[in-house]
Amino acid sequence: MFDDYLTWKPFFDIVPMKDSDCRPASELHGQRFARQWSEGEVLDLLGQDGVFGFCALQSNAFFSRPLGGFVLSREVAGEAEILTIAVGEKLARTGLGWRLMQAALREAAVRGAETMFLEVEENNAAAVGLYRRLGFSQVARRPAYYASADGTRSAALVMRRDLR
């Protein structure tokens, strides 16, 4: 029985994002990005026309459903974009980002999008690899686009995937 406890792993449900998810999403965003989006910014985005999101909520938690990750997307006039995606550091490379992206890709297609775009920091090898495995390809590069806390700058890759 004790061995089962030591090997216990969290399971996550991918569910549509709600207003009540904005505070934990903001906190997670701050853990993963140099500039944290405030709860208000996340809430304002989620309330805009065409914006949708998904959360990974732990389904086998004992008292609450902790947020393991989230994705925010927008669809307008047949084009969609990933606004942001974040997965908890301890959950990286567990497939949670893949599942969140799949949910966003499906929803964008249902809403009529024919293409999906995203921007990713060039030196974020794990994210670039994920997006390539999902069928995205680089269509542009923006030099010195991202600023880190120490003032250094890095390029953004603009990636695209056809949905139809």
Side-chain angles (χ1 to χ4, degrees), residues 52-81:
F52 57 94
F54 292 94
C55 289
L57 298 177
Q58 188 174 337
S59 56
N60 63 340
F62 295 110
F63 299 108
S64 64
R65 297 192 67 191
L67 179 75
F70 76 100
V71 61
L72 273 174
S73 303
R74 174 181 6 237
E75 185 280 325
V76 176
E79 288 188 353
E81 65 176 319

Side-chain angles (χ1 to χ4, degrees), residues 42-117:
V42 176
L43 186 60
D44 286 347
L45 272 173
L46 191 58
Q48 291 178 11
D49 287 341
V51 175
F52 57 94
F54 292 94
C55 289
L57 298 177
Q58 188 174 337
S59 56
N60 63 340
F62 295 110
F63 299 108
S64 64
R65 297 192 67 191
L67 179 75
F70 76 100
V71 61
L72 273 174
S73 303
R74 174 181 6 237
E75 185 280 325
V76 176
E79 288 188 353
E81 65 176 319
I82 298 296
L83 300 170
T84 192
I85 181 171
V87 172
E89 188 173 358
K90 292 181 180 178
L91 299 167
R93 297 188 175 270
T94 62
L96 211 47
W98 176 274
R99 292 177 61 204
L100 288 163
M101 286 295 297
Q102 289 289 346
L105 289 164
R106 280 191 301 272
E107 181 65 19
V110 165
R111 290 174 178 240
E114 295 183 11
T115 56
M116 173 77 84
F117 290 89

Side-chain angles (χ1 to χ4, degrees), residues 3-11 58 60-62:
D3 289 338
D4 290 341
Y5 178 76
L6 293 177
T7 60
W8 180 85
K9 292 186 172 88
F11 294 98
Q58 188 174 337
N60 63 340
F62 295 110

